Amino acid sequence: MPLELISFPLCPYVQRSVITLLHKQVGFTLTHIDLAHKPEWFLALSPLGKVPCLKIDEHTVLFDSQVINEYLDETIAPVLHPADPLERAQHRAWIAFGSEILGDQMQMMVAQGEERFTAASRQLFDKLERLDKAMGNGAFFAGDDFSLIDAALAPLFMRMEILHALRPLPRWESLGKLRRLTALLMELPEVAGSVTADFPDRLRNYISERGSLFLRTA
């Protein structure tokens, strides 16, 4: 049976695994669920009750995007992690840092009060500036080749560009290395094809439905 990735359309962690699957040109099906009304069959599969889940076969399921991507990288070419153990550990560390930034980004997007919005924005851009400084001089984050770091960061950067289009974000605009990397990643078929064509509208509606200060002060 083909791999089945269980998803929520706006989830950046699902998108990380979609990008990895598309980059490796692996056949898979995508099953969307409503996270507000999680079906019983999904809760039986996922101990965390979160997406993504990758169904390998009728009896085997993986959960957590990084675990899924590591499994895919260890079993399907091309390999996207470095061979050296220390470099591989460093890549994992930056992926974990990217997950922290996604949390700050979400908090900024949905914050309804000024204090929470300001705090989340500051944390988000402070971390993005650190990420910008850490990026090497190659085309991608860690060199001249696409890696699992890029698969993990692409959803974050895609959302930053959408948010920047909704309201100017000067601190994002000032991050030269990350903006160049973002432009490169957005042109890749595996990144462009990892979301639906109406994704920007879906994201805007998601923010609007929560009465976010982000749109009210745009």
Side-chain angles (χ1 to χ4, degrees), residues 34-144:
D34 181 356
L35 289 181
H37 303 91
K38 299 172 186 176
E40 289 299 324
W41 62 262
F42 169 72
L43 294 173
L45 291 177
S46 174
L48 297 175
K50 298 178 181 179
V51 292
C53 285
L54 183 68
K55 193 172 182 181
I56 308 296
D57 55 40
E58 289 298 328
H59 308 289
T60 311
V61 176
L62 297 177
F63 49 93
D64 185 274
S65 64
Q66 188 54 25
V67 172
I68 291 169
N69 285 359
E70 295 260 359
Y71 166 76
L72 294 171
D73 204 48
E74 290 172 2
T75 57
I76 303 168
V79 175
L80 301 177
H81 252 340
D84 179 76
L86 179 57
E87 287 185 43
R88 194 160 61 246
Q90 290 174 319
H91 280 219
R92 288 173 176 143
W94 285 116
I95 290 169
F97 188 63
S99 297
E100 289 292 315
I101 303 176
L102 277 170
D104 294 328
Q105 185 185 64
M106 174 60 73
Q107 291 301 313
M108 184 188 75
M109 286 195 300
V110 302
Q112 297 177 348
E114 183 70 39
E115 184 176 348
R116 185 179 175 189
F117 176 80
T118 300
S121 299
R122 182 176 61 252
Q123 291 172 10
L124 169 65
F125 288 108
D126 285 352
K127 288 174 184 170
L128 284 170
E129 286 173 358
R130 183 158 188 171
L131 197 65
D132 188 75
K133 291 176 182 176
M135 183 177 164
N137 295 318
F140 294 96
F141 185 83
D144 290 325

